[in-house]
Amino acid sequence: MKIKWSRKQRDKNYIITFCFMFIIFGGFFVQSSSLVRSVGTTLLGVMRGEVSLSECVNTFKEGCNLTVYNQDLSLDIFSFVHRVLGKHEARNFEVIKSDEGQLYFHGTDGEIKTEELQIIADEYEILYEETFRYGGHFLYVQVPFKNIGQAPELADYSTDNTEESENYLVHLMQDKEIPVLDLRNYGKCAKYYKTDHHWTEESAFFASAYIAKEIKRIYGIDLTGHEYYGDIKNYEPITYRDCFLGSYGIRVGPYFAGRDDFTVYNPKFKTNFDFKHFIDGEKQFEHQGTFWETFIDQEMLEDSNYKNKYNVNMYCAYVESIIQNYLAQNDYSGLLITHSYGRSMAQYMSLNFKELRYLDPQVGRYNGNYVEYIRNYKPDVVILMYNDKINVGDGQWKEDE
Amino acid sequence: MLFVSFSFLFLFLPGVLGVYYLFRSHRKLQNILLFLASLFFYACGEPKFVVLLLTSIFLNWLFALMIERNKGKGRLLLGVAVITNIGILFVFKYCNAVFSCIGFLCGGEIINSPFQNITLPIGISFFTFQALSYVIDVYRGEQCQKNLLYVGLYISFFPQLIAGPIVRYHSIANQLMERKETIDKFEDGIVRFIQGFCKKILLANTMAIIADKAFNNISELTVSFAWLGALCYTLQIFFDFSGYSDMAIGLGKMFGFEFEENFNYPYMASSVTEFWRRWHISLSNWFRDYVYIPLGGNRTESVSRNYFNLFVVWLLTGVWHGAHLNFALWGMGYFVLLVLEKATSFGKIIQKRKWIGHIYTLFIVMVLWVIFRAGGIQDAIQYIQTMFGLTEANLFSSQTWIYIKENIVYLFFAILLSTNICGRLKDKIFQQKEHKKVQIVISVVGEMCLVILFVISIVYIINGTYNPFIYFNF
């Protein structure tokens, strides 16, 4: 029903109108730079005959939609609303929070892909045989991936076949009599950042220690000093509080996700390294000095605007890393083939080798032929910690998969 | 372009509003601006179909003009106009389905339609019906607009172009030149727009998540989740479509136009007959005025002829939504129920006992929405069987509880706002003169809450939680 407004009541109209106009015109001015840019690009494209009428509209729309002013604030509000509503899931069950506050990604449903896992195991066998051929030593490591199956209370939110798939691959590797270290059996290696998919620095540290022990146990190779380097008492934990919002947290915002502390275990003993990072064979950067100076990106660590602190490790090197340990107590060389879990682990593992190389086989990272790499490099130890196809020249690995 | 997109909200709308009010005392310029803006708005969906829209505008303007000038040949000209409009609709919307049907009837052969690669122009059913109503009204003696620009603006005006409401020309004829923009109307428009915006983003989209989960996994459904899915789709389609209508009406008000209401709390209806007086009112009225009454309506010599008229109307209503058997079946479902209410004492029972009527109507509407939403007839049957425990599906799954628990606040408000409880409460308070201060507080706080919800809705868009409007497909 309509009511008659007094002067005071009519002022309300102006308030609502003002708020609305402020929002849409505020957005208009922020978007205008994007608008000018997209109009410019589109017109240029039309003049050059590169853009058709429908593409023209699409380019224009994309340009208009790209700029989001203060994405952080919007994520904060999004996150806050979810927290107020007491939700355990966000973004249509894409990210799910456990009672302990751990965030998980929606699980992979359905049957495990046994055929694909067989191909993967065959590829790993090729690497094993290549290593064996020149007298090197090979270890397959099954990493404890963070997955929603680890939170039983979330079983009804999402089913997950990650562990089943891992079990199958481990089983295939064992059938091929390839040495396997299953880190899922070590609780210390299964600690994760609440807001991220990665394991903690502590877990990565212990994983490195267990791998060194396992190499000694299986092959009798004594990575001299590994017992000392594998003792956490010889490190000083340096913690940055509430600074880390990981890959899951960044999707759902800090009020829903919370924030993680970021702790680096800095050696109390003397260290001296040289660390180079290459992309397509070209050196990207080189760092030398102590453990901290060589591996920890101090600037990133202290940048309050940069939230994904996991990338502090090894200056976010993600393709081919070569680390020389000038104070190594042995002459062994190692090749670590793994995904980003390796970034936090390689820096601790490098203490055990004279030289350690770390290759990330994920698409868009180091995608050269790994058989050739091993053949040319001939490391004493090859550590493979991966669960996906890898380029071994068998034609199975494809960049677009 | 969607009303709930960044480009609309932060570029198109402020741009058009700004220029519109710059030309405050130049009505003609304002109308030209609105027409061009509407064409641009449409072009943002599919630029090539602007030609189709312009053709429709030109032809219908011409038909109306010719009908007015050649009264003697009016019937013939009207026939040509109707065939042309329906022909356009047929080519773009139904041709492929008809050819498939013919192929099926000819023993499963695939017969390619000559228009098989044509995509459905967005909003074609809405603007074609709107244009057709104009020509028919002129034939019936209503005012004919000689200025092509105004016919163009009437048919293409962006707030109602894509998904209605289907506006009748005579209802806005005067407004085209003599509308009055006031701050009160503008504010009303803003409130209405925000209400629609929030309905779509916060309620319809959240309900869509649950409904999609149910309808995309029919074979894995439990009985409880099937009911939850049906309930959520019932709410989703209401908030999706009524949200769009609210935004359209609100935008119209911002530019000084008044459109008729398209929804009136349909889920409060106590009979199917009443439901259709409250749901998509502009479409029901269109079919009533341009199909049912011309066929003879209920003033027919025989009852069977009346039922035939109803049959035609409901078949067309179903098919209007799309060239799928589901829609036809959905329309036929309503036909059967309307006849049941009309022809038996059941209609009187539910009139006397309203609560029975409410339960029955909601139940029927929900089940029929399942037919409407399902991917095919087989899916619809399987879904309904699951709802009634006629499959081997379990009765309850903990997943049902999780989806309810996670969305309990949205579900609560969706159910509450689909009823007129809040409106009645507000009216009650506003009727009492002694509570003037309370009224002001409620108004101000209510509208500030709306602004906050508007901001939250924008945040939801930024964070990518959106899906398109259901009625854009029709």
Side-chain angles (χ1 to χ4, degrees):
Chain A
M1 74 168 285
K2 241 3 201 186
I3 50 168
K4 230 178 172 184
W5 294 108
S6 67
R7 166 84 192 270
K8 206 171 176 184
Q9 288 162 321
R10 282 178 68 97
D11 289 346
K12 171 189 74 87
N13 292 358
Y14 295 103
I15 296 169
I16 295 290
T17 307
F18 174 78
C19 288
F20 182 77
M21 300 305 258
F22 178 77
I23 292 168
I24 64 166
F25 278 95
F28 180 76
F29 288 116
V30 171
Q31 290 294 106
S32 53
S33 63
S34 154
L35 175 72
V36 170
R37 200 171 53 242
S38 58
V39 166
T41 315
T42 310
L43 287 179
L44 219 68
V46 171
M47 282 192 289
R48 286 178 187 155
E50 293 165 354
V51 181
S52 70
L53 190 62
S54 59
E55 282 171 330
C56 174
V57 174
N58 285 339
T59 315
F60 176 77
K61 280 197 293 187
E62 278 165 23
C64 297
N65 278 326
L66 273 178
T67 315
V68 176
Y69 177 70
N70 209 337
Q71 184 102 38
D72 281 357
L73 177 66
S74 108
L75 192 63
D76 284 354
I77 298 172
F78 180 77
S79 179
F80 180 74
V81 172
H82 276 66
R83 188 172 175 158
V84 168
L85 295 178
K87 285 169 81 80
H88 276 69
E89 64 83 25
R91 296 186 180 278
N92 193 6
F93 288 79
E94 187 186 42
V95 177
I96 302 160
K97 187 162 74 171
S98 74
D99 293 344
E100 289 173 356
Q102 279 283 349
L103 297 186
Y104 294 95
F105 210 59
H106 191 277
T108 315
D109 285 331
E111 297 284 305
I112 60 167
K113 296 172 180 169
T114 51
E115 277 179 31
E116 197 174 307
L117 288 167
Q118 185 64 56
I119 292 167
I120 292 169
D122 292 344
E123 288 177 345
Y124 294 177
E125 190 180 21
I126 294 170
L127 294 180
Y128 168 70
E129 283 170 353
E130 184 60 37
T131 311
F132 193 74
R133 192 167 292 133
Y134 68 82
H137 306 88
F138 187 95
L139 179 66
Y140 175 74
V141 178
Q142 178 57 61
V143 75
F145 281 115
K146 184 177 184 179
N147 67 81
I148 198 163
Q150 291 156 350
E153 75 269 26
L154 299 180
D156 292 322
Y157 280 81
S158 172
T159 50
D160 191 82
N161 65 17
T162 306
E163 293 221 10
E164 201 186 333
S165 177
E166 289 166 357
N167 289 342
Y168 191 79
L169 185 60
V170 166
H171 170 73
L172 289 174
M173 299 298 279
Q174 284 165 341
D175 276 358
K176 291 174 185 290
E177 296 184 350
I178 297 171
V180 174
L181 171 63
D182 194 343
L183 287 177
R184 295 177 302 169
N185 300 328
Y186 299 82
K188 283 182 177 177
C189 297
K191 288 181 183 161
Y192 309 93
Y193 294 109
K194 279 189 300 186
T195 66
D196 198 31
H197 64 285
H198 290 111
W199 55 9
T200 59
E201 299 286 296
E202 191 186 354
S203 280
F205 172 85
F206 283 117
S208 163
Y210 290 134
I211 289 169
K213 269 187 202 166
E214 190 69 2
I215 289 168
K216 187 177 180 184
R217 191 185 70 78
I218 299 171
Y219 296 113
I221 293 178
D222 185 11
L223 299 169
T224 316
H226 77 87
E227 280 166 355
Y228 181 81
Y229 299 136
D231 187 347
I232 204 156
K233 285 184 210 131
N234 298 320
Y235 296 79
E236 184 196 359
I238 298 171
T239 300
Y240 287 74
R241 298 260 172 231
D242 294 329
C243 66
F244 183 16
L245 194 63
S247 56
Y248 297 160
I250 229 139
R251 287 164 196 256
V252 294
Y255 293 105
F256 180 74
R259 281 180 192 273
D260 279 297
D261 295 340
F262 188 74
T263 301
V264 180
Y265 290 86
N266 192 32
K268 290 177 184 167
F269 47 88
K270 204 174 172 193
T271 50
N272 189 8
F273 292 99
D274 176 85
F275 159 42
K276 298 185 200 83
H277 180 236
F278 296 85
I279 297 177
D280 295 331
E282 273 186 43
K283 189 167 82 178
Q284 303 299 306
F285 58 77
E286 182 173 4
H287 295 284
Q288 288 175 322
T290 63
F291 178 91
W292 192 277
E293 289 163 347
T294 312
F295 298 120
I296 305 301
D297 189 337
Q298 183 76 30
E299 207 178 310
M300 194 188 280
L301 189 57
E302 287 176 356
D303 180 357
S304 57
N305 291 321
Y306 192 85
K307 295 181 180 68
N308 195 352
K309 299 296 183 194
Y310 188 80
N311 290 335
V312 161
N313 291 307
M314 296 181 71
Y315 290 83
C316 195
Y318 64 96
V319 181
E320 181 187 17
S321 303
I322 300 177
I323 306 161
Q324 308 282 340
N325 178 2
Y326 295 127
L327 300 180
Q329 297 182 40
N330 60 60
D331 285 329
Y332 288 119
S333 59
L335 174 64
L336 173 65
I337 302 168
T338 187
H339 37 65
S340 57
Y341 270 53
R343 212 178 297 147
S344 52
M345 189 174 76
Q347 53 199 13
Y348 296 111
M349 188 174 269
S350 64
L351 288 159
N352 296 322
F353 291 93
K354 175 85 179 162
E355 180 180 285
L356 180 74
R357 294 189 183 189
Y358 159 39
L359 304 178
D360 186 340
Q362 293 177 89
V363 173
R365 302 194 176 183
Y366 188 87
N367 299 142
N369 188 320
Y370 280 74
V371 177
E372 283 173 14
Y373 196 98
I374 291 171
R375 191 178 295 151
N376 295 333
Y377 180 41
K378 291 188 177 55
D380 296 305
V381 180
V382 173
I383 300 152
L384 176 63
M385 191 170 84
Y386 200 53
N387 284 62
D388 210 340
K389 285 182 187 165
I390 202 164
N391 183 6
V392 292
D394 62 346
Q396 293 289 343
W397 185 89
K398 286 184 184 72
E399 208 163 334
D400 54 357
E401 273 185 10
Chain B
M1 196 185 288
L2 296 167
F3 290 164
V4 293
S5 67
F6 256 42
S7 39
F8 179 82
L9 207 57
F10 295 133
L11 287 170
F12 183 85
L13 184 59
V16 176
L17 271 176
V19 180
Y20 182 84
Y21 280 99
L22 269 182
F23 298 147
R24 216 168 26 209
S25 48
H26 302 88
R27 183 62 79 209
K28 221 166 194 170
L29 281 177
Q30 285 182 321
N31 286 341
I32 291 170
L33 168 77
L34 288 181
F35 178 59
L36 294 177
S38 299
L39 292 181
F40 177 78
F41 176 86
Y42 194 70
C44 286
E46 192 64 77
K48 63 184 176 197
F49 289 134
V50 172
V51 179
L52 178 73
L53 179 64
L54 287 170
T55 309
S56 173
I57 290 168
F58 177 74
L59 288 178
N60 286 294
W61 167 77
L62 196 66
F63 284 135
L65 220 57
M66 286 164 72
I67 287 169
E68 209 212 15
R69 286 182 187 170
N70 302 284
K71 297 271 185 200
K73 293 177 188 168
R75 209 178 171 84
L76 176 73
L77 286 165
L78 178 68
V80 175
V82 171
I83 290 168
T84 307
N85 278 293
I86 299 298
I88 291 171
L89 198 58
F90 178 81
V91 166
F92 285 97
K93 196 166 177 176
Y94 302 106
C95 202
N96 292 340
V98 168
F99 274 88
S100 304
C101 243
I102 294 169
F104 179 75
L105 294 173
C106 296
E109 273 181 57
I110 297 168
I111 300 177
N112 288 331
S113 141
F115 308 104
Q116 59 179 327
N117 295 325
I118 290 181
T119 50
L120 181 70
I122 197 163
I124 189 170
S125 307
F126 286 95
F127 71 71
T128 304
F129 269 41
Q130 190 153 307
L132 207 46
S133 76
Y134 166 64
V135 179
I136 297 170
D137 284 348
V138 170
Y139 170 76
R140 288 175 177 175
E142 293 274 357
Q143 177 191 357
C144 172
Q145 176 54 260
K146 299 195 171 48
N147 191 326
L148 179 61
L149 169 73
Y150 292 141
V151 175
L153 180 57
Y154 157 68
I155 294 174
S156 68
F157 189 33
F158 72 87
Q160 38 78 26
L161 172 64
I162 308 290
I166 301 166
V167 178
R168 308 276 280 277
Y169 180 71
H170 66 81
S171 71
I172 64 157
N174 293 335
Q175 297 179 44
L176 285 171
M177 272 317 279
E178 289 160 23
R179 63 186 176 273
K180 201 172 174 195
E181 299 91 347
T182 62
I183 184 72
D184 280 354
K185 204 191 253 185
F186 195 84
E187 192 259 357
D188 270 357
I190 288 172
V191 169
R192 200 65 195 271
F193 179 81
I194 296 177
Q195 282 174 343
F197 196 88
C198 298
K199 274 182 179 180
K200 166 66 186 158
I201 300 294
L202 300 178
L203 297 178
N205 286 358
T206 310
M207 295 302 110
I209 290 170
I210 307 174
D212 287 353
K213 174 83 182 169
F215 282 91
N216 294 340
N217 300 287
I218 296 175
S219 56
E220 293 163 21
L221 278 181
T222 58
V223 175
S224 59
F225 206 90
W227 278 99
L228 179 66
L231 170 71
C232 287
Y233 185 69
T234 303
L235 294 167
Q236 180 201 350
I237 196 164
F238 170 64
F239 287 111
D240 190 285
F241 194 19
S242 75
Y244 188 92
S245 292
D246 286 344
M247 285 188 267
I249 291 168
L251 287 167
K253 278 175 188 276
M254 287 185 213
F255 293 101
F257 288 89
E258 292 280 359
F259 297 144
E260 280 162 24
E261 291 298 331
N262 213 15
F263 289 87
N264 181 23
Y265 299 107
Y267 297 146
M268 291 301 286
S270 56
S271 68
V272 166
T273 314
E274 192 190 347
F275 173 78
W276 277 101
R277 282 191 211 117
R278 291 165 172 264
W279 178 274
H280 203 171
I281 297 166
S282 62
L283 182 71
S284 308
N285 289 349
W286 197 98
F287 276 113
R288 182 197 63 204
D289 295 344
Y290 300 110
V291 181
Y292 186 63
I293 292 173
L295 284 172
N298 48 12
R299 291 178 187 169
T300 49
E301 287 167 7
S302 65
V303 179
S304 57
R305 172 67 199 196
N306 180 218
Y307 293 157
F308 173 75
N309 294 347
L310 279 173
F311 172 81
V312 171
V313 167
W314 286 101
L315 181 66
L316 291 178
T317 304
V319 171
W320 179 87
H321 287 86
H324 293 287
L325 208 52
N326 286 45
F327 296 127
L329 198 67
W330 173 78
M332 287 298 90
Y334 278 113
F335 161 69
V336 171
L337 290 159
L338 285 165
V339 170
L340 184 82
E341 285 180 13
K342 226 176 152 86
T344 68
S345 56
F346 181 66
K348 283 173 189 155
I349 294 170
I350 54 172
Q351 256 181 0
K352 274 184 191 162
R353 293 189 171 81
K354 292 271 183 198
W355 64 273
I356 297 178
H358 285 304
I359 294 169
Y360 144 79
T361 309
L362 263 183
F363 174 78
I364 289 298
V365 167
M366 262 171 78
V367 172
L368 287 174
W369 280 138
V370 169
I371 297 173
F372 189 90
R373 168 63 175 82
I377 295 293
Q378 280 296 333
D379 283 353
I381 292 169
Q382 196 184 347
Y383 195 104
I384 292 169
Q385 281 178 333
T386 308
M387 281 170 82
F388 294 100
L390 301 174
T391 59
E392 287 173 4
N394 291 330
L395 198 63
F396 185 80
S397 65
S398 46
Q399 205 177 41
T400 311
W401 170 236
I402 280 166
Y403 273 81
I404 293 173
K405 192 179 78 173
E406 287 295 326
N407 297 292
I408 189 79
V409 177
Y410 295 106
L411 272 166
F412 171 76
F413 280 104
I415 292 169
L416 181 73
L417 295 175
S418 67
T419 70
N420 58 1
I421 293 171
C422 293
R424 284 167 76 168
L425 206 69
K426 193 181 165 194
D427 284 354
K428 214 168 191 177
I429 295 167
F430 278 61
Q431 272 164 0
Q432 293 165 347
K433 286 182 181 168
E434 65 272 22
H435 292 151
K436 210 80 184 167
K437 274 188 179 168
V438 179
Q439 291 168 9
I440 297 172
V441 170
I442 289 176
S443 280
V444 174
V445 170
E447 290 183 8
M448 289 318 287
C449 283
L450 260 186
V451 173
I452 292 168
L453 287 175
F454 182 52
V455 172
I456 292 173
S457 302
I458 292 170
V459 162
Y460 269 56
I461 298 176
I462 295 170
N463 286 284
T465 52
Y466 110 91
N467 59 3
F469 288 96
I470 296 174
Y471 262 71
F472 276 25
N473 300 323
F474 307 138

